[in-house]
Amino acid sequence: NYLNKTNLFELWRKLDNLQQAAIAEIVHSSETQFDAVKFKAKYGQLPDFGTSSNYYGTNHQPSLLGLFFYSYNIMPDELKEILKTFVPPPIETKMKTVKEIPQTIRQQWQDYNFNTRQYEQRVEDIPIVQREMERVAQQDLMAVLRLINAGKIAVSDKTNYPTAATIKAITSVLSGGDFYIDKEPEQRQPYEEVIGGIRAFAWPLIVQAAGLAELSGKKLSLTRAGQKALSEPPEKTLRTAWQKWVKNKSFDELRRIDMIKGQTGKGKRGLTATEGRRKSIAIALAECPVNSWLSVDDFFRHIIATGCDFEVTRQIYNLYISEAHYGTLYDERDSWNILQGRYILCLLFEYAATLGMLDVAYIHPAGARSDQKDFWGVDDSEFFSRYDGLMYFRLNPLGAYCLGISVNYQPAPMEVRPVLRVLPNLEIAAIAQPLSAADVLVLDLYTEKVSDAVWRLERGKLLTAIAQGQDISVLQELLQARTGNPLPETVKQFLADIAARSNSLKDKGTARIIECADAALAVLIANDSRTKPYCMLAGERCLVVPTASETKFRNGVMKLGYSLPK
């Protein structure tokens, strides 16, 4: 009798909003079982099902909601069909954005006082660092490609990971340096852990996955695609790099979570395909509003609530923390932040942000997250992963372009904030404090610091930055946006002269020098229609052949009746 439409409607009307939402989620989906984790991620709390029975099977007091479900919270299909006639669809899952990022995050620390032999609470306000990566990534891409072209990027022939020297070399040319800078060994306290490179580690892997570079001996060399990328619009190369990274099978971001052990042992067999994980995260990223800040924890909840969730492993018991017997991970749900959460943080911070798709706001990872406290074996560590400090991120126009949300790329204009004064004598003075960390990084990269609040344009410093792959237009755009007024004519002329000098020489890539037996043969090959497009005369007996044209040159030489040994 209770299953007729009229009685069901009266029962449904007596439910509160959260209970009605629980019914709507099941009725208007293909599922029949109530998913508590997904529901809580979307609504923030669970509906009232009443109280369960105790050990003796007594005190069981279900709510009215329990009348709509059978054991294990399953709703029969017949009941769903009746309810669908009057139960409205559930509300859409909305991304929770942040209007303004706080300047600091308050952290609580528990220190042991050896004098009193008691733990004491300490509160500290940690500054949040914001980094806008859209323009930075485009400069970094060109700088890294030039480093590779100069033969300065070495990687392991087994793992393709960059060497320590390579990470140091890449860090030196990154715009503003890496996200974190570790102290030198003699300056670190015994308890301070090394974070290591993030962007500097990612770039060698990205260019290999994108087909821009390949291993030649112990060092990377540019492929034809890499040589072409030196003269291509960087945003197109970055979009291709992201698309190929999603499909990359040679590297698993989980390996970068050093605390999770067992990945190369028995646990390796149970790991899921990386492409599926990345696609799930990419779908969720594509749902983010462009130019709006999101907290990473709200992004986690959105992934779960919208069904973009994924598995990292099918055999969680083969992964562990610190020690296989005591630190085994048994429950997938309890370990979500440890496995899926840290995987997401790595992909966002180390790869999406490095490619310029996301602007990021972060703090030092030490004590940044508390979700690992209940796990055995992490008590002596400052942080669970080097990515724990990522607090917020923002999908920018470049990210929308890489994800396919936007067909064309249109960079966002730089925000106008009158915090600098550019003087005719080429000095730049700060007139408002404090300057953002991003602004200071750009000024330090391109100009000489005269005092705490004054920088000066110097030709040598600018030319050095340009030689490292930086773009002088970035400085000019910053100065224009941070003054709010036209630049003095002396400054305009100075920057125009630097730009002209930097464009006077072009790096056209690597080439081979071919020596001919005599001058007559060199002239013949340099002027024959079958070889002329692929070489040029250098001196009397030598020919210069661009690496990209070497195969066509060899074929032309053979048609002339000659052979060029490899």
CSV table of all heavy atoms in Angstrom, one decimal, residues 48-77:
chain,number,residue,atom,x,y,z
A,48,ASP,N,20.0,12.2,7.2
A,48,ASP,CA,19.6,11.5,8.4
A,48,ASP,C,18.9,10.2,8.0
A,48,ASP,O,17.8,10.2,7.6
A,48,ASP,CB,18.7,12.3,9.3
A,48,ASP,CG,18.4,11.6,10.6
A,48,ASP,OD1,19.0,10.6,10.9
A,48,ASP,OD2,17.4,12.1,11.2
A,49,PHE,N,19.6,9.1,8.2
A,49,PHE,CA,19.0,7.7,8.0
A,49,PHE,C,18.5,7.2,9.3
A,49,PHE,O,18.0,6.1,9.3
A,49,PHE,CB,20.1,6.8,7.4
A,49,PHE,CG,20.2,6.8,5.9
A,49,PHE,CD1,21.1,7.7,5.3
A,49,PHE,CD2,19.3,6.1,5.1
A,49,PHE,CE1,21.2,7.7,3.9
A,49,PHE,CE2,19.4,6.1,3.7
A,49,PHE,CZ,20.4,6.9,3.1
A,50,GLY,N,18.7,7.9,10.4
A,50,GLY,CA,18.3,7.4,11.7
A,50,GLY,C,19.5,6.7,12.3
A,50,GLY,O,20.6,6.7,11.9
A,51,THR,N,19.2,6.0,13.4
A,51,THR,CA,20.3,5.3,14.1
A,51,THR,C,20.3,3.8,13.8
A,51,THR,O,19.2,3.2,13.6
A,51,THR,CB,20.1,5.5,15.7
A,51,THR,OG1,18.8,5.0,16.0
A,51,THR,CG2,20.3,6.9,16.0
A,52,SER,N,21.5,3.2,13.8
A,52,SER,CA,21.6,1.8,13.5
A,52,SER,C,21.5,1.0,14.8
A,52,SER,O,21.6,1.6,15.9
A,52,SER,CB,23.0,1.5,12.8
A,52,SER,OG,23.1,2.2,11.6
A,53,SER,N,21.3,-0.3,14.7
A,53,SER,CA,21.2,-1.1,15.8
A,53,SER,C,22.6,-1.3,16.5
A,53,SER,O,23.6,-1.2,15.8
A,53,SER,CB,20.6,-2.5,15.5
A,53,SER,OG,21.4,-3.1,14.5
A,54,ASN,N,22.6,-1.6,17.7
A,54,ASN,CA,23.8,-1.8,18.4
A,54,ASN,C,24.2,-3.3,18.3
A,54,ASN,O,23.7,-4.1,17.5
A,54,ASN,CB,23.7,-1.4,19.9
A,54,ASN,CG,22.6,-2.2,20.6
A,54,ASN,OD1,22.2,-3.3,20.2
A,54,ASN,ND2,22.1,-1.6,21.7
A,55,TYR,N,25.2,-3.7,19.1
A,55,TYR,CA,25.8,-5.1,19.0
A,55,TYR,C,24.7,-6.1,19.3
A,55,TYR,O,24.7,-7.2,18.7
A,55,TYR,CB,26.9,-5.2,20.0
A,55,TYR,CG,27.6,-6.6,20.0
A,55,TYR,CD1,28.5,-6.9,19.0
A,55,TYR,CD2,27.2,-7.5,21.0
A,55,TYR,CE1,29.1,-8.2,19.0
A,55,TYR,CE2,27.8,-8.7,21.0
A,55,TYR,CZ,28.8,-9.1,20.0
A,55,TYR,OH,29.3,-10.3,20.0
A,56,TYR,N,23.7,-5.8,20.1
A,56,TYR,CA,22.7,-6.8,20.5
A,56,TYR,C,21.4,-6.7,19.6
A,56,TYR,O,20.5,-7.4,19.8
A,56,TYR,CB,22.3,-6.5,21.9
A,56,TYR,CG,23.4,-6.7,22.9
A,56,TYR,CD1,24.0,-5.5,23.4
A,56,TYR,CD2,23.8,-7.9,23.3
A,56,TYR,CE1,25.1,-5.6,24.3
A,56,TYR,CE2,24.9,-8.0,24.2
A,56,TYR,CZ,25.5,-6.9,24.7
A,56,TYR,OH,26.6,-7.0,25.5
A,57,GLY,N,21.5,-5.8,18.5
A,57,GLY,CA,20.4,-5.7,17.6
A,57,GLY,C,19.2,-4.9,18.1
A,57,GLY,O,18.1,-5.0,17.6
A,58,THR,N,19.5,-4.1,19.1
A,58,THR,CA,18.4,-3.2,19.6
A,58,THR,C,18.7,-1.8,19.3
A,58,THR,O,19.7,-1.4,18.8
A,58,THR,CB,18.3,-3.4,21.2
A,58,THR,OG1,19.6,-3.1,21.8
A,58,THR,CG2,17.9,-4.9,21.5
A,59,ASN,N,17.8,-0.9,19.8
A,59,ASN,CA,17.9,0.6,19.6
A,59,ASN,C,18.0,1.0,18.1
A,59,ASN,O,18.6,2.0,17.8
A,59,ASN,CB,19.1,1.1,20.3
A,59,ASN,CG,19.0,0.9,21.8
A,59,ASN,OD1,17.9,0.9,22.4
A,59,ASN,ND2,20.1,0.7,22.5
A,60,HIS,N,17.4,0.2,17.2
A,60,HIS,CA,17.4,0.6,15.8
A,60,HIS,C,16.2,1.5,15.5
A,60,HIS,O,15.1,1.2,15.6
A,60,HIS,CB,17.3,-0.7,14.9
A,60,HIS,CG,17.3,-0.4,13.5
A,60,HIS,ND1,18.2,0.5,12.9
A,60,HIS,CD2,16.6,-0.8,12.4
A,60,HIS,CE1,18.0,0.5,11.6
A,60,HIS,NE2,17.0,-0.3,11.3
A,61,GLN,N,16.6,2.8,15.2
A,61,GLN,CA,15.5,3.8,15.0
A,61,GLN,C,15.8,4.5,13.7
A,61,GLN,O,16.4,5.6,13.6
A,61,GLN,CB,15.6,4.9,16.1
A,61,GLN,CG,15.2,4.3,17.5
A,61,GLN,CD,15.3,5.3,18.6
A,61,GLN,OE1,15.9,6.4,18.5
A,61,GLN,NE2,14.7,5.0,19.7
A,62,PRO,N,15.3,3.9,12.6
A,62,PRO,CA,15.5,4.5,11.3
A,62,PRO,C,14.6,5.7,11.1
A,62,PRO,O,13.5,5.9,11.7
A,62,PRO,CB,15.0,3.4,10.3
A,62,PRO,CG,14.0,2.6,11.1
A,62,PRO,CD,14.5,2.6,12.5
A,63,SER,N,15.0,6.6,10.2
A,63,SER,CA,14.2,7.8,9.8
A,63,SER,C,13.3,7.4,8.7
A,63,SER,O,13.4,6.3,8.2
A,63,SER,CB,15.2,8.9,9.4
A,63,SER,OG,15.8,8.6,8.2
A,64,LEU,N,12.5,8.4,8.3
A,64,LEU,CA,11.6,8.1,7.2
A,64,LEU,C,12.3,7.8,5.9
A,64,LEU,O,11.9,7.1,5.0
A,64,LEU,CB,10.7,9.3,6.9
A,64,LEU,CG,9.5,9.5,7.9
A,64,LEU,CD1,8.8,10.8,7.6
A,64,LEU,CD2,8.6,8.3,8.0
A,65,LEU,N,13.6,8.3,5.8
A,65,LEU,CA,14.4,8.1,4.6
A,65,LEU,C,14.6,6.6,4.4
A,65,LEU,O,14.7,6.1,3.3
A,65,LEU,CB,15.7,8.9,4.7
A,65,LEU,CG,16.6,8.8,3.5
A,65,LEU,CD1,16.0,9.3,2.2
A,65,LEU,CD2,17.9,9.5,3.8
A,66,GLY,N,14.7,5.9,5.5
A,66,GLY,CA,15.0,4.5,5.4
A,66,GLY,C,13.9,3.7,4.8
A,66,GLY,O,14.2,2.5,4.3
A,67,LEU,N,12.7,4.2,4.7
A,67,LEU,CA,11.6,3.5,4.0
A,67,LEU,C,11.8,3.5,2.5
A,67,LEU,O,11.1,2.6,1.9
A,67,LEU,CB,10.3,4.2,4.3
A,67,LEU,CG,9.8,4.2,5.8
A,67,LEU,CD1,8.6,5.1,6.0
A,67,LEU,CD2,9.6,2.8,6.3
A,68,PHE,N,12.6,4.3,2.0
A,68,PHE,CA,12.9,4.3,0.5
A,68,PHE,C,14.0,3.4,0.1
A,68,PHE,O,14.3,3.3,-1.1
A,68,PHE,CB,13.1,5.8,0.1
A,68,PHE,CG,12.0,6.7,0.2
A,68,PHE,CD1,11.7,7.3,1.4
A,68,PHE,CD2,11.1,6.9,-0.8
A,68,PHE,CE1,10.6,8.2,1.6
A,68,PHE,CE2,10.0,7.8,-0.7
A,68,PHE,CZ,9.8,8.4,0.5
A,69,PHE,N,14.7,2.8,1.1
A,69,PHE,CA,15.9,2.0,0.7
A,69,PHE,C,15.8,0.7,1.4
A,69,PHE,O,15.1,0.6,2.5
A,69,PHE,CB,17.2,2.7,1.2
A,69,PHE,CG,17.5,4.0,0.4
A,69,PHE,CD1,17.0,5.2,0.9
A,69,PHE,CD2,18.2,3.9,-0.7
A,69,PHE,CE1,17.3,6.4,0.2
A,69,PHE,CE2,18.6,5.1,-1.4
A,69,PHE,CZ,18.1,6.3,-1.0
A,70,TYR,N,16.4,-0.3,0.8
A,70,TYR,CA,16.5,-1.6,1.4
A,70,TYR,C,17.9,-1.8,2.0
A,70,TYR,O,18.6,-0.8,2.2
A,70,TYR,CB,16.1,-2.7,0.4
A,70,TYR,CG,14.7,-2.8,0.0
A,70,TYR,CD1,14.1,-1.8,-0.8
A,70,TYR,CD2,13.8,-3.7,0.6
A,70,TYR,CE1,12.8,-1.9,-1.1
A,70,TYR,CE2,12.5,-3.8,0.3
A,70,TYR,CZ,11.9,-2.8,-0.5
A,70,TYR,OH,10.6,-2.9,-0.8
A,71,SER,N,18.2,-3.0,2.3
A,71,SER,CA,19.6,-3.3,2.9
A,71,SER,C,20.7,-2.7,2.0
A,71,SER,O,20.6,-2.7,0.8
A,71,SER,CB,19.8,-4.8,3.1
A,71,SER,OG,19.7,-5.5,1.9
A,72,TYR,N,21.7,-2.3,2.7
A,72,TYR,CA,22.9,-1.7,2.0
A,72,TYR,C,22.5,-0.4,1.2
A,72,TYR,O,23.1,-0.1,0.2
A,72,TYR,CB,23.6,-2.7,1.1
A,72,TYR,CG,24.1,-3.9,1.8
A,72,TYR,CD1,23.4,-5.1,1.7
A,72,TYR,CD2,25.2,-3.8,2.6
A,72,TYR,CE1,23.8,-6.2,2.4
A,72,TYR,CE2,25.7,-5.0,3.2
A,72,TYR,CZ,25.0,-6.2,3.1
A,72,TYR,OH,25.4,-7.3,3.8
A,73,ASN,N,21.4,0.3,1.7
A,73,ASN,CA,21.0,1.5,1.1
A,73,ASN,C,20.7,1.4,-0.4
A,73,ASN,O,21.2,2.2,-1.2
A,73,ASN,CB,22.0,2.6,1.3
A,73,ASN,CG,22.0,3.0,2.8
A,73,ASN,OD1,21.1,2.8,3.5
A,73,ASN,ND2,23.1,3.6,3.2
A,74,ILE,N,20.1,0.3,-0.8
A,74,ILE,CA,19.7,0.1,-2.2
A,74,ILE,C,18.3,0.4,-2.5
A,74,ILE,O,17.4,0.0,-1.7
A,74,ILE,CB,20.0,-1.4,-2.6
A,74,ILE,CG1,21.5,-1.6,-2.6
A,74,ILE,CG2,19.5,-1.7,-4.0
A,74,ILE,CD1,21.9,-3.1,-2.9
A,75,MET,N,18.0,1.1,-3.6
A,75,MET,CA,16.6,1.5,-3.9
A,75,MET,C,16.2,0.7,-5.2
A,75,MET,O,16.9,0.7,-6.2
A,75,MET,CB,16.5,3.0,-4.3
A,75,MET,CG,15.1,3.4,-4.7
A,75,MET,SD,15.1,5.2,-5.1
A,75,MET,CE,15.4,5.9,-3.5
A,76,PRO,N,15.1,-0.1,-5.1
A,76,PRO,CA,14.7,-1.0,-6.2
A,76,PRO,C,14.3,-0.1,-7.4
A,76,PRO,O,13.9,1.0,-7.3
A,76,PRO,CB,13.5,-1.7,-5.6
A,76,PRO,CG,13.6,-1.6,-4.2
A,76,PRO,CD,14.3,-0.3,-3.9
A,77,ASP,N,14.5,-0.7,-8.6
A,77,ASP,CA,14.2,0.0,-9.9
A,77,ASP,C,12.8,0.3,-9.9
A,77,ASP,O,12.4,1.4,-10.5
A,77,ASP,CB,14.6,-0.9,-11.0
A,77,ASP,CG,16.2,-1.0,-11.2
A,77,ASP,OD1,16.8,0.0,-10.8
A,77,ASP,OD2,16.6,-2.1,-11.6
